[in-house]
Amino acid sequence: MADNHTPIATSASVSGALSASTAAPVSGLVSAIVPARNEEEVIAVCVESLAAQPEINEVIVVNDQSTDRTAQIVRDIAARNPKVKLLETDGPPEGWVGKNHAVSVGAREAKGEWLLFTDADAEHLAGSTAQALAKAAETGAALVSFSPEQITQRWYERALIPFVYCRLAKVYSFEAVNDEKNPAAAANGQYLMIRRDRYETIGGHASLAGEILEDVALARLVKRGGSRIWFGSGRGVVRVRMYRSFAAMWEGWKKNLYRLMGGTPRSVLSELDASVPWMILLVLLVGIKVPWALFLCVLLLLARQLSYGADLVRNGYPFSFITYYLPGVALYVGVLLASYRAHAKGRVVWKGRQYEMEVPQASGK
Protein backbone atom coordinates (compact mmCIF):
# COMPACT_ATOMS: atom_id res chain seq x y z
CA MET A 1 0.00 0.00 0.00
CA ALA A 2 1.12 2.74 1.27
CA ASP A 3 7.48 4.45 1.16
CA ASN A 4 12.18 4.05 1.99
CA HIS A 5 22.37 1.42 6.30
CA THR A 6 30.86 -1.06 6.72
CA PRO A 7 32.55 -1.09 5.32
CA ILE A 8 30.84 1.46 3.13
CA ALA A 9 30.05 0.23 -0.36
CA THR A 10 29.37 3.01 -2.83
CA SER A 11 27.94 2.74 -6.31
CA ALA A 12 28.42 6.03 -8.14
CA SER A 13 25.61 5.48 -10.60
CA VAL A 14 23.37 2.46 -10.87
CA SER A 15 20.53 2.00 -13.28
CA GLY A 16 18.66 -0.43 -15.46
CA ALA A 17 16.84 -3.70 -14.95
CA LEU A 18 17.99 -6.55 -12.79
CA SER A 19 18.12 -10.10 -13.95
CA ALA A 20 18.92 -13.47 -12.48
CA SER A 21 22.14 -13.56 -14.46
CA THR A 22 23.47 -10.39 -12.81
CA ALA A 23 22.24 -11.15 -9.29
CA ALA A 24 24.70 -11.78 -6.51
CA PRO A 25 25.07 -15.42 -5.43
CA VAL A 26 22.63 -16.59 -2.79
CA SER A 27 24.09 -17.00 0.67
CA GLY A 28 23.11 -16.13 4.21
CA LEU A 29 19.50 -15.82 5.31
CA VAL A 30 17.94 -12.35 4.98
CA SER A 31 19.13 -9.17 3.30
CA ALA A 32 17.27 -6.04 4.39
CA ILE A 33 17.01 -3.30 1.76
CA VAL A 34 16.06 0.27 2.72
CA PRO A 35 15.51 3.02 0.13
CA ALA A 36 16.23 6.40 1.74
CA ARG A 37 15.60 9.92 0.48
CA ASN A 38 15.96 12.68 3.08
CA GLU A 39 15.26 10.44 6.07
CA GLU A 40 17.60 11.92 8.70
CA GLU A 41 14.87 11.97 11.37
CA VAL A 42 14.13 8.25 11.20
CA ILE A 43 16.92 6.35 9.47
CA ALA A 44 18.98 5.52 12.58
CA VAL A 45 16.12 3.76 14.37
CA CYS A 46 15.27 1.76 11.26
CA VAL A 47 18.83 0.64 10.51
CA GLU A 48 19.72 -0.25 14.08
CA SER A 49 16.50 -2.19 14.60
CA LEU A 50 17.22 -4.20 11.44
CA ALA A 51 20.86 -4.82 12.32
CA ALA A 52 19.78 -6.16 15.72
CA GLN A 53 17.84 -9.02 14.06
CA PRO A 54 20.01 -12.19 14.17
CA GLU A 55 18.45 -13.55 10.96
CA ILE A 56 19.47 -10.49 8.94
CA ASN A 57 23.00 -10.86 7.62
CA GLU A 58 23.18 -7.46 5.92
CA VAL A 59 21.34 -4.13 5.96
CA ILE A 60 21.68 -2.32 2.63
CA VAL A 61 20.66 1.32 2.61
CA VAL A 62 20.28 2.90 -0.82
CA ASN A 63 20.68 6.65 -0.54
CA ASP A 64 18.49 8.16 -3.24
CA GLN A 65 20.00 11.63 -3.71
CA SER A 66 19.33 12.81 -0.16
CA THR A 67 20.17 16.43 0.54
CA ASP A 68 20.12 16.09 4.34
CA ARG A 69 22.29 14.06 6.75
CA THR A 70 20.82 10.66 5.83
CA ALA A 71 23.99 9.30 4.23
CA GLN A 72 26.28 10.52 7.03
CA ILE A 73 24.08 8.96 9.70
CA VAL A 74 24.25 5.62 7.89
CA ARG A 75 28.02 5.92 7.50
CA ASP A 76 28.36 6.51 11.24
CA ILE A 77 26.32 3.39 12.01
CA ALA A 78 28.23 1.36 9.41
CA ALA A 79 31.53 2.35 11.01
CA ARG A 80 30.58 0.41 14.11
CA ASN A 81 28.37 -2.32 12.59
CA PRO A 82 29.75 -4.43 9.70
CA LYS A 83 26.24 -5.59 8.75
CA VAL A 84 25.41 -2.14 7.45
CA LYS A 85 26.23 -1.04 3.90
CA LEU A 86 25.52 2.20 2.07
CA LEU A 87 24.89 2.49 -1.66
CA GLU A 88 24.40 5.70 -3.62
CA THR A 89 22.35 6.33 -6.75
CA ASP A 90 22.23 9.24 -9.17
CA GLY A 91 18.42 9.07 -9.25
CA PRO A 92 16.01 6.94 -11.25
CA PRO A 93 16.42 6.37 -14.99
CA GLU A 94 13.65 7.34 -17.39
CA GLY A 95 10.49 5.35 -16.70
CA TRP A 96 11.40 4.39 -13.14
CA VAL A 97 9.85 5.52 -9.87
CA GLY A 98 12.59 6.53 -7.46
CA LYS A 99 11.78 3.99 -4.76
CA ASN A 100 11.54 1.11 -7.24
CA HIS A 101 14.92 1.96 -8.71
CA ALA A 102 16.53 2.32 -5.28
CA VAL A 103 15.32 -1.05 -4.01
CA SER A 104 16.33 -2.73 -7.27
CA VAL A 105 19.84 -1.37 -6.77
CA GLY A 106 19.87 -2.86 -3.28
CA ALA A 107 18.47 -6.19 -4.50
CA ARG A 108 21.27 -6.50 -7.06
CA GLU A 109 23.90 -6.19 -4.32
CA ALA A 110 22.09 -8.38 -1.77
CA LYS A 111 23.35 -11.87 -0.95
CA GLY A 112 20.51 -13.28 1.16
CA GLU A 113 18.08 -16.07 0.36
CA TRP A 114 15.28 -13.71 1.37
CA LEU A 115 14.99 -10.02 0.51
CA LEU A 116 13.31 -7.80 3.07
CA PHE A 117 12.14 -4.51 1.57
CA THR A 118 11.25 -1.95 4.20
CA ASP A 119 10.84 1.80 4.53
CA ALA A 120 13.22 4.10 6.36
CA ASP A 121 10.56 5.09 8.91
CA ALA A 122 9.92 1.52 10.06
CA GLU A 123 11.05 0.30 13.48
CA HIS A 124 11.54 -3.48 13.55
CA LEU A 125 10.77 -4.95 16.94
CA ALA A 126 12.76 -7.78 18.51
CA GLY A 127 12.04 -11.12 16.85
CA SER A 128 10.26 -9.61 13.84
CA THR A 129 12.41 -11.32 11.20
CA ALA A 130 12.11 -14.66 12.99
CA GLN A 131 8.33 -14.27 12.95
CA ALA A 132 8.32 -13.51 9.22
CA LEU A 133 10.48 -16.55 8.45
CA ALA A 134 8.33 -18.75 10.67
CA LYS A 135 5.20 -17.56 8.89
CA ALA A 136 6.79 -18.35 5.53
CA ALA A 137 7.71 -21.85 6.71
CA GLU A 138 4.27 -22.42 8.21
CA THR A 139 2.32 -21.34 5.12
CA GLY A 140 4.75 -22.09 2.31
CA ALA A 141 4.52 -18.44 1.24
CA ALA A 142 7.10 -16.99 -1.13
CA LEU A 143 6.14 -13.48 0.00
CA VAL A 144 5.35 -12.41 3.57
CA SER A 145 4.15 -8.90 4.34
CA PHE A 146 3.10 -7.22 7.57
CA SER A 147 0.84 -4.19 7.74
CA PRO A 148 2.74 -2.25 10.41
CA GLU A 149 1.33 -0.82 13.61
CA GLN A 150 0.72 2.84 12.82
CA ILE A 151 1.95 5.44 15.29
CA THR A 152 -0.28 8.53 15.23
CA GLN A 153 0.46 11.65 17.27
CA ARG A 154 -1.28 14.67 15.71
CA TRP A 155 -5.04 15.02 15.40
CA TYR A 156 -4.92 14.80 11.60
CA GLU A 157 -2.94 11.54 11.75
CA ARG A 158 -5.51 10.06 14.14
CA ALA A 159 -8.35 11.22 11.92
CA LEU A 160 -7.14 10.11 8.50
CA ILE A 161 -4.71 7.21 8.88
CA PRO A 162 -6.98 4.85 10.87
CA PHE A 163 -9.89 5.75 8.57
CA VAL A 164 -7.83 4.85 5.49
CA TYR A 165 -6.67 1.56 6.96
CA CYS A 166 -10.20 0.59 8.00
CA ARG A 167 -11.31 1.20 4.41
CA LEU A 168 -8.33 -0.73 3.04
CA ALA A 169 -9.21 -3.68 5.28
CA LYS A 170 -12.52 -3.94 3.45
CA VAL A 171 -10.86 -3.84 0.03
CA TYR A 172 -7.86 -6.07 0.83
CA SER A 173 -8.93 -8.43 3.59
CA PHE A 174 -6.17 -10.61 5.01
CA GLU A 175 -8.42 -13.67 4.63
CA ALA A 176 -8.96 -13.11 0.90
CA VAL A 177 -5.33 -12.27 0.18
CA ASN A 178 -4.07 -15.34 2.04
CA ASP A 179 -6.50 -17.70 0.28
CA GLU A 180 -4.48 -19.29 -2.53
CA LYS A 181 -7.71 -19.88 -4.50
CA ASN A 182 -8.73 -16.22 -4.30
CA PRO A 183 -7.13 -13.90 -6.90
CA ALA A 184 -6.98 -11.03 -4.40
CA ALA A 185 -3.39 -9.93 -3.77
CA ALA A 186 -1.87 -7.19 -1.63
CA ALA A 187 1.18 -6.35 0.44
CA ASN A 188 2.54 -3.41 2.40
CA GLY A 189 5.84 -2.03 1.17
CA GLN A 190 6.74 -0.92 4.69
CA TYR A 191 7.47 -4.61 5.39
CA LEU A 192 7.67 -6.96 2.43
CA MET A 193 9.87 -10.06 2.53
CA ILE A 194 10.19 -12.18 -0.60
CA ARG A 195 12.14 -15.29 -1.46
CA ARG A 196 15.02 -14.25 -3.66
CA ASP A 197 14.53 -16.90 -6.35
CA ARG A 198 10.88 -15.94 -6.73
CA TYR A 199 11.78 -12.25 -6.92
CA GLU A 200 14.18 -12.95 -9.76
CA THR A 201 11.70 -15.19 -11.59
CA ILE A 202 9.10 -12.41 -11.80
CA GLY A 203 11.71 -9.93 -12.98
CA GLY A 204 12.18 -8.02 -9.73
CA HIS A 205 11.29 -4.35 -9.56
CA ALA A 206 12.35 -3.93 -13.18
CA SER A 207 9.05 -5.59 -14.11
CA LEU A 208 7.14 -2.78 -12.38
CA ALA A 209 9.62 0.06 -12.75
CA GLY A 210 7.02 2.80 -13.21
CA GLU A 211 4.46 1.52 -10.70
CA ILE A 212 3.52 3.96 -7.96
CA LEU A 213 1.78 1.18 -6.01
CA GLU A 214 4.70 -1.21 -6.27
CA ASP A 215 3.94 -3.35 -3.21
CA VAL A 216 0.49 -4.42 -4.42
CA ALA A 217 1.81 -4.88 -7.96
CA LEU A 218 4.61 -7.15 -6.69
CA ALA A 219 2.16 -9.24 -4.66
CA ARG A 220 -0.05 -9.67 -7.71
CA LEU A 221 2.86 -10.88 -9.84
CA VAL A 222 3.85 -13.42 -7.20
CA LYS A 223 0.33 -14.78 -6.72
CA ARG A 224 -0.50 -14.85 -10.41
CA GLY A 225 2.73 -16.76 -10.93
CA GLY A 226 1.42 -19.57 -8.74
CA SER A 227 3.22 -18.85 -5.47
CA ARG A 228 1.53 -18.26 -2.14
CA ILE A 229 1.60 -14.92 -0.35
CA TRP A 230 0.83 -14.19 3.28
CA PHE A 231 -0.32 -10.77 4.47
CA GLY A 232 -1.21 -9.95 8.07
CA SER A 233 -1.15 -7.54 10.95
CA GLY A 234 2.25 -6.29 12.04
CA ARG A 235 1.15 -5.35 15.54
CA GLY A 236 4.02 -6.26 17.87
CA VAL A 237 6.27 -6.90 14.85
CA VAL A 238 6.95 -3.57 13.14
CA ARG A 239 5.72 -0.05 13.72
CA VAL A 240 5.77 3.10 11.65
CA ARG A 241 4.94 6.75 11.95
CA MET A 242 4.26 7.36 8.29
CA TYR A 243 4.12 11.15 8.18
CA ARG A 244 5.46 13.96 10.33
CA SER A 245 3.50 16.83 8.81
CA PHE A 246 0.06 17.40 7.36
CA ALA A 247 1.58 18.29 3.97
CA ALA A 248 3.56 15.03 3.80
CA MET A 249 0.49 13.00 4.82
CA TRP A 250 -1.66 14.67 2.19
CA GLU A 251 0.95 14.20 -0.54
CA GLY A 252 1.49 10.55 0.40
CA TRP A 253 -2.16 9.52 0.27
CA LYS A 254 -2.78 11.72 -2.76
CA LYS A 255 -0.13 9.65 -4.55
CA ASN A 256 -1.55 6.25 -3.58
CA LEU A 257 -5.20 6.34 -2.57
CA TYR A 258 -6.84 6.43 -5.99
CA ARG A 259 -5.03 3.29 -7.14
CA LEU A 260 -5.45 1.57 -3.79
CA MET A 261 -9.20 1.98 -4.04
CA GLY A 262 -9.53 0.53 -7.50
CA GLY A 263 -7.99 3.01 -9.90
CA THR A 264 -11.10 3.87 -11.92
CA PRO A 265 -13.63 6.73 -11.72
CA ARG A 266 -16.33 4.19 -10.96
CA SER A 267 -14.36 2.81 -8.02
CA VAL A 268 -14.08 6.35 -6.62
CA LEU A 269 -17.86 6.79 -6.79
CA SER A 270 -18.36 3.41 -5.14
CA GLU A 271 -15.93 4.31 -2.36
CA LEU A 272 -17.62 7.66 -1.75
CA ASP A 273 -20.97 5.90 -1.55
CA ALA A 274 -19.61 3.41 1.02
CA SER A 275 -17.64 5.80 3.20
CA VAL A 276 -19.71 8.99 3.38
CA PRO A 277 -22.67 9.02 5.86
CA TRP A 278 -25.16 10.26 3.27
CA MET A 279 -28.24 9.51 5.40
CA ILE A 280 -26.89 11.66 8.22
CA LEU A 281 -26.29 14.54 5.83
CA LEU A 282 -29.79 14.20 4.38
CA VAL A 283 -31.44 14.17 7.81
CA LEU A 284 -29.30 17.15 8.83
CA LEU A 285 -30.62 19.11 5.85
CA VAL A 286 -34.19 18.20 6.79
CA GLY A 287 -33.42 19.29 10.35
CA ILE A 288 -32.97 22.87 9.17
CA LYS A 289 -36.76 23.12 8.88
CA VAL A 290 -37.85 20.18 11.03
CA PRO A 291 -36.13 20.46 14.44
CA TRP A 292 -36.98 16.94 15.61
CA ALA A 293 -34.92 15.60 12.70
CA LEU A 294 -31.82 16.95 14.42
CA PHE A 295 -32.37 14.46 17.24
CA LEU A 296 -32.57 11.66 14.65
CA CYS A 297 -29.38 12.99 13.10
CA VAL A 298 -27.58 12.70 16.44
CA LEU A 299 -28.77 9.10 16.85
CA LEU A 300 -27.65 8.18 13.34
CA LEU A 301 -24.27 9.79 13.92
CA LEU A 302 -23.82 7.91 17.20
CA ALA A 303 -24.67 4.62 15.47
CA ARG A 304 -22.21 5.36 12.70
CA GLN A 305 -19.47 6.25 15.18
CA LEU A 306 -20.05 3.03 17.12
CA SER A 307 -19.80 1.04 13.90
CA TYR A 308 -16.58 2.85 13.08
CA GLY A 309 -15.33 2.12 16.60
CA ALA A 310 -15.81 -1.61 15.97
CA ASP A 311 -13.79 -1.27 12.76
CA LEU A 312 -11.05 0.57 14.65
CA VAL A 313 -10.75 -2.16 17.27
CA ARG A 314 -10.68 -4.89 14.61
CA ASN A 315 -7.81 -3.08 12.94
CA GLY A 316 -5.80 -2.48 16.10
CA TYR A 317 -6.68 1.16 16.83
CA PRO A 318 -8.10 2.56 20.09
CA PHE A 319 -11.89 2.73 20.28
CA SER A 320 -11.50 6.30 21.54
CA PHE A 321 -10.53 7.35 18.01
CA ILE A 322 -14.25 7.44 17.18
CA THR A 323 -14.06 11.11 18.24
CA TYR A 324 -12.13 11.73 15.02
CA TYR A 325 -14.81 10.13 12.84
CA LEU A 326 -16.22 13.26 11.18
CA PRO A 327 -12.80 14.88 10.54
CA GLY A 328 -11.69 11.49 9.23
CA VAL A 329 -14.53 11.35 6.73
CA ALA A 330 -13.86 14.91 5.57
CA LEU A 331 -10.11 14.33 5.12
CA TYR A 332 -10.67 10.98 3.43
CA VAL A 333 -13.10 12.39 0.89
CA GLY A 334 -10.81 15.33 0.23
CA VAL A 335 -7.65 13.30 -0.36
CA LEU A 336 -9.48 10.63 -2.38
CA LEU A 337 -10.79 13.29 -4.76
CA ALA A 338 -7.38 14.98 -4.85
CA SER A 339 -5.79 11.63 -5.68
CA TYR A 340 -8.28 11.07 -8.48
CA ARG A 341 -7.66 14.54 -9.90
CA ALA A 342 -3.88 14.03 -9.83
CA HIS A 343 -4.15 10.74 -11.68
CA ALA A 344 -6.70 12.21 -14.08
CA LYS A 345 -4.09 14.81 -15.01
CA GLY A 346 -1.53 12.05 -15.38
CA ARG A 347 0.91 13.47 -12.80
CA VAL A 348 1.73 12.70 -9.19
CA VAL A 349 4.41 14.27 -7.00
CA TRP A 350 6.38 12.52 -4.29
CA LYS A 351 9.47 13.68 -2.41
CA GLY A 352 10.22 16.45 -4.86
CA ARG A 353 9.86 14.34 -8.00
CA GLN A 354 7.04 14.40 -10.51
CA TYR A 355 5.92 11.18 -12.16
CA GLU A 356 3.84 10.88 -15.32
CA MET A 357 1.02 8.36 -14.90
CA GLU A 358 -1.51 6.68 -17.16
CA VAL A 359 -4.70 8.79 -17.29
CA PRO A 360 -7.75 6.92 -15.86
CA GLN A 361 -10.38 5.73 -18.30
CA ALA A 362 -13.79 7.40 -18.21
CA SER A 363 -15.44 4.09 -17.46
CA GLY A 364 -14.45 0.91 -15.77
CA LYS A 365 -15.23 -1.39 -12.91
Side-chain angles (χ1 to χ4, degrees), residues 12-13 51 65 73 89 102 151 203 220 231 257 277 306 324 335-336:
S13 175
Q65 295 187 302
I73 292 170
T89 80
I151 300 171
R220 285 174 179 158
F231 186 32
L257 195 56
L306 291 174
Y324 298 99
V335 78
L336 177 60

Side-chain angles (χ1 to χ4, degrees), residues 273-316:
D273 181 57
S275 58
V276 176
W278 297 108
M279 182 59 70
I280 295 174
L281 296 177
L282 178 61
V283 174
L284 182 60
L285 289 175
V286 172
I288 295 174
K289 291 189 176 182
V290 184
W292 62 262
L294 293 176
F295 177 70
L296 177 58
C297 181
V298 171
L299 292 179
L300 289 172
L301 176 59
L302 180 60
R304 191 76 180 227
Q305 283 185 299
L306 291 174
S307 175
Y308 178 55
D311 283 343
L312 287 168
V313 172
R314 276 194 297 271
N315 287 280

Side-chain angles (χ1 to χ4, degrees), residues 207-223:
S207 62
L208 40 94
E211 281 282 349
I212 288 290
L213 206 61
E214 89 294 335
D215 45 10
V216 175
L218 191 66
R220 285 174 179 158
L221 284 177
V222 171
K223 197 168 189 180

